[in-house]
Amino acid sequence: MAQAQYIKDLYENEGLSLRQIAERTQHHFDTVQKYAYQDNWNQPATPTASRREFLAMGDYIKIVDEWLEQDEREPRKQRHTITKVFKRLQNECGYTGSYNSVKRYYHYKKESMKQFRESYVPLAHPAGHAQVDFGDFKYYDELGVGHTGHALIVAFPHANTGWMQVFPSENQECLLEGLKRIFHHIGGVPICVRCDNMTTAVAQVLKGTERVLSDGFHRFMLHYRFAAEFCNPNKGNEKGSVENKVGYTRRNMLVPVPTITDFDAFNEGLLRLCDDDHEREHYQHGIPLKELWEEDKRVLLALPEYEYDVFRYDALSVNKDGFIKVDTAKYSLSPELYGKMVQAKIYFDKIEVFHDHSLLKTFRRSYTRDEKVYDWRVYLPTLVKKPGATEHTEFFHQMPQLWQKHLKSTHGRERKSALMLLSEIVSDGNEALSDDVLELAGEYGRMDSDSLRQCYLFISKPENNPAPLQLATEPPLLNYRPDLTVYDGLTGGVAK
């Protein structure tokens, strides 16, 4: 305080400039300015640290501030330590001060940033408002292979209720299909849905709360008439209710790790589990969740008259091998379509392919990277022209087992005829009869192409089979026993 009084006296009574006072007292210019201009000498109401306590670092404070503030946007493991700050100041900025000065300011700045970091305020949760989010989980397929699944959660914070649907991906088709199923299960639509800026819903984040919505999500939102709110970037706390619900449902409904062979059936079971879970008491109000849910349910929007068909269209070109590509998977069409454009109607679980307004093929949708989804049937016309390549194709193992065995036993013209017959069976829509044809021919011991064709016609067109001859009377029994020894004379023998 004596030094502060001395500075004030030099400034007020002796009329020295701030620069002159700094030279005489050997204090930093900022220190001189502080006490020369100070009019309020009351002690602070609360003990707080001040940047002016670190004036020994001078202009280096601004540099350290910039580094530490930038750190807030970087991964935690790649942020500055005290030693790193000290070394950078020495090597890059010519700092000659002490390590302790840097250390004290480092801790002060860190604490200051912590205190002024945006605090979380409890948000009101009106009835009928929902929050949406995805969470990852593990599941096994029918072969016991582990996969990463994606659980869509729709939570209603007012009642602390929630419903879950699981999918193999987080794409737009999965998002909208999950929302649609939950809306129809609960019998209404939330007034407003809050979610983060998922690319399946938001095409572009603009200033403030403005968003450019993706076409598919916008169309879905208009159909069901709900409003949408989106969190500020990197602000998951703004939908904290659904964040908690993701963890809760995963721990209680996906443990132990489930085996999923049919997503539709599994999701039906999940909806029932979620309903049963609402029998428990609310953590705060002490009454069952289902009673609070009635308040939400009363204000839900009515379901639209027409159910929304969740899919998207895409125009695709067929490559020289007869494949089209959707996301990372390839789907086989006929090589004869090489270079032509087809239209794909893409659902979350299947893909319908059209050409010239006619349905060509329906595939299961694959979520395995770089998988090739074959349909051996479409290659039969090509194999008829190149029968020798049959066993060497990637889809040969997908053919019926009996036909694989039969085709391996044939060669040349015989194999070509067999492929022509199989192609005819498939084009007639009688694929289910293909094995029956071989089994019937095997019973007669005739596996040539003509016999196989006769067996196919016999099975597939029973109306053309001749009916047994109907006789008016029973035929007479003949006791006819010719003596064949007379023919011995014709061969040089002796006739009796």
Side-chain angles (χ1 to χ4, degrees):
M1 290 301 300
Q3 291 293 320
Q5 182 182 358
Y6 181 46
I7 292 172
K8 188 72 172 175
D9 182 67
L10 292 176
Y11 182 71
E12 294 283 355
N13 299 323
E14 297 190 22
L16 271 64
S17 69
L18 297 179
R19 186 73 60 189
Q20 291 171 326
I21 296 173
E23 292 176 355
R24 177 178 295 188
T25 62
Q26 295 299 303
H27 289 301
H28 194 276
F29 180 85
D30 290 344
T31 302
V32 171
Q33 184 183 54
K34 172 187 175 182
Y35 292 113
Y37 291 166
Q38 184 167 327
D39 294 322
N40 184 4
W41 293 86
N42 284 303
Q43 296 191 65
T46 57
T48 58
S50 169
R51 291 167 60 95
R52 297 186 180 275
E53 296 179 14
F54 308 98
L55 292 178
M57 291 186 62
D59 293 334
Y60 298 109
I61 286 179
K62 297 179 180 179
I63 299 173
V64 176
D65 285 351
E66 182 180 346
W67 291 347
L68 297 185
E69 288 168 4
Q70 176 65 30
D71 275 355
E72 291 293 298
R73 297 185 286 274
E74 304 301 339
R76 183 175 179 179
K77 294 181 179 180
Q78 292 177 258
R79 296 177 182 175
H80 285 79
T81 62
I82 299 172
T83 302
K84 185 63 177 179
V85 170
F86 179 66
K87 290 183 177 179
R88 283 194 67 184
L89 288 175
Q90 286 183 318
N91 299 334
E92 300 176 18
C93 307
Y95 175 72
T96 58
S98 69
Y99 174 88
N100 284 336
S101 295
V102 175
K103 178 180 178 181
R104 286 189 294 109
Y105 183 73
Y106 180 95
H107 288 304
Y108 163 76
K109 179 62 178 177
K110 283 286 190 179
E111 186 64 25
S112 176
M113 291 166 63
K114 180 179 178 181
Q115 290 178 358
F116 287 96
R117 190 174 295 132
E118 180 182 354
S119 60
Y120 300 154
V121 295
L123 302 176
H125 298 305
H129 287 235
Q131 296 179 3
V132 174
D133 199 9
F134 272 105
D136 294 345
F137 71 100
K138 181 180 179 180
Y139 72 95
Y140 295 109
D141 61 19
E142 63 275 9
L143 300 178
V145 179
H147 300 274
T148 297
H150 303 271
L152 175 70
I153 309 295
V154 177
F156 289 83
H158 175 75
N160 196 30
T161 53
W163 284 266
M164 174 170 60
Q165 293 285 272
V166 298
F167 297 94
S169 176
E170 292 186 17
N171 60 40
Q172 187 177 89
E173 294 74 53
C174 293
L175 168 65
L176 301 186
E177 182 67 27
L179 291 176
K180 169 187 160 183
R181 291 182 180 186
I182 292 174
F183 291 171
H184 285 268
H185 177 75
I186 64 179
V189 181
I191 299 171
C192 181
V193 171
R194 173 175 282 272
C195 56
D196 56 24
N197 298 283
M198 54 183 70
T199 56
T200 51
V202 178
Q204 186 179 3
V205 178
L206 301 179
K207 185 178 180 180
T209 60
E210 296 183 21
R211 301 290 186 273
V212 176
L213 302 182
S214 63
D215 289 343
F217 184 81
H218 203 172
R219 185 184 297 273
F220 182 85
M221 190 176 73
L222 291 173
H223 186 86
Y224 284 98
R225 300 180 297 114
F226 63 88
E229 294 180 352
F230 300 94
C231 302
N232 290 311
N234 303 316
K235 297 295 181 182
N237 60 289
E238 295 179 357
K239 54 177 180 61
S241 180
V242 72
E243 295 274 355
N244 293 331
K245 190 68 70 177
V246 167
Y248 175 84
T249 52
R250 183 165 46 205
R251 291 189 301 271
N252 289 273
M253 300 180 190
L254 298 174
V255 174
V257 177
T259 297
I260 303 179
T261 58
D262 184 337
F263 274 90
D264 289 339
F266 190 80
N267 279 327
E268 283 292 327
L270 282 178
L271 292 175
R272 292 192 293 271
L273 284 176
C274 292
D275 290 339
D276 295 341
D277 181 67
H278 300 156
E279 298 288 340
R280 62 188 174 91
E281 289 188 352
H282 191 277
Y283 67 94
Q284 186 176 16
H285 300 294
I287 60 176
L289 301 184
K290 65 178 182 179
E291 294 185 18
L292 288 169
W293 166 244
E294 292 300 321
E295 299 177 11
D296 281 285
K297 197 170 183 179
R298 281 195 291 269
V299 297
L300 294 179
L301 302 175
L303 291 169
E305 179 182 359
Y306 302 101
E307 185 172 329
Y308 192 83
D309 196 11
V310 179
F311 67 89
R312 63 181 170 91
Y313 278 119
D314 201 355
L316 305 168
S317 177
V318 182
N319 67 16
K320 65 180 181 180
D321 295 322
F323 284 92
I324 57 172
K325 187 174 183 179
V326 177
D327 298 329
T328 62
K330 295 180 179 180
Y331 302 84
S332 67
L333 297 175
S334 173
E336 297 175 359
L337 293 173
Y338 168 51
K340 296 183 179 179
M341 298 296 295
V342 297
Q343 291 72 44
K345 194 175 182 181
I346 305 171
Y347 295 81
F348 90 94
D349 59 346
K350 66 179 181 179
I351 297 175
E352 296 178 351
V353 183
F354 295 81
H355 181 60
D356 288 341
H357 307 289
S358 298
L359 178 63
L360 290 179
K361 213 68 193 171
T362 300
F363 298 95
R364 64 166 181 85
R365 185 170 181 179
S366 171
Y367 289 95
T368 302
R369 178 172 292 277
D370 298 326
E371 181 182 6
K372 292 182 178 180
V373 181
Y374 290 98
D375 184 353
W376 60 272
R377 303 164 191 82
V378 302
Y379 289 97
L380 287 175
T382 304
L383 287 180
V384 169
K385 301 175 183 178
K386 300 179 179 180
T390 303
E391 296 177 66
H392 307 290
T393 59
E394 294 181 338
F395 52 84
F396 181 68
H397 67 282
Q398 296 181 357
M399 291 184 172
Q401 291 288 336
L402 291 180
W403 277 91
Q404 290 183 43
K405 183 178 179 180
H406 176 66
L407 290 171
K408 286 181 179 180
S409 67
T410 60
H411 303 280
R413 188 179 299 276
E414 191 67 20
R415 175 178 290 185
K416 181 175 182 178
S417 298
L419 288 168
M420 289 176 64
L421 175 60
L422 182 58
S423 180
E424 181 180 336
I425 294 173
V426 170
S427 62
D428 289 345
N430 292 325
E431 181 188 342
L433 302 177
S434 58
D435 283 347
D436 295 338
V437 171
L438 291 177
E439 289 174 353
L440 181 60
E443 292 177 5
Y444 288 105
R446 299 293 299 273
M447 301 299 291
D448 59 278
S449 298
D450 290 338
S451 297
L452 291 177
R453 182 171 296 279
Q454 289 301 317
C455 290
Y456 169 59
L457 295 175
F458 180 80
I459 295 173
S460 62
K461 299 179 180 180
E463 67 278 6
N464 295 336
N465 297 335
L469 181 64
Q470 299 294 328
L471 300 177
T473 59
E474 289 291 331
L477 296 176
L478 299 177
N479 188 16
Y480 181 65
R481 298 180 179 178
D483 183 7
L484 300 180
T485 58
V486 297
Y487 289 97
D488 292 341
L490 299 175
T491 58
V494 179
K496 295 183 181 178

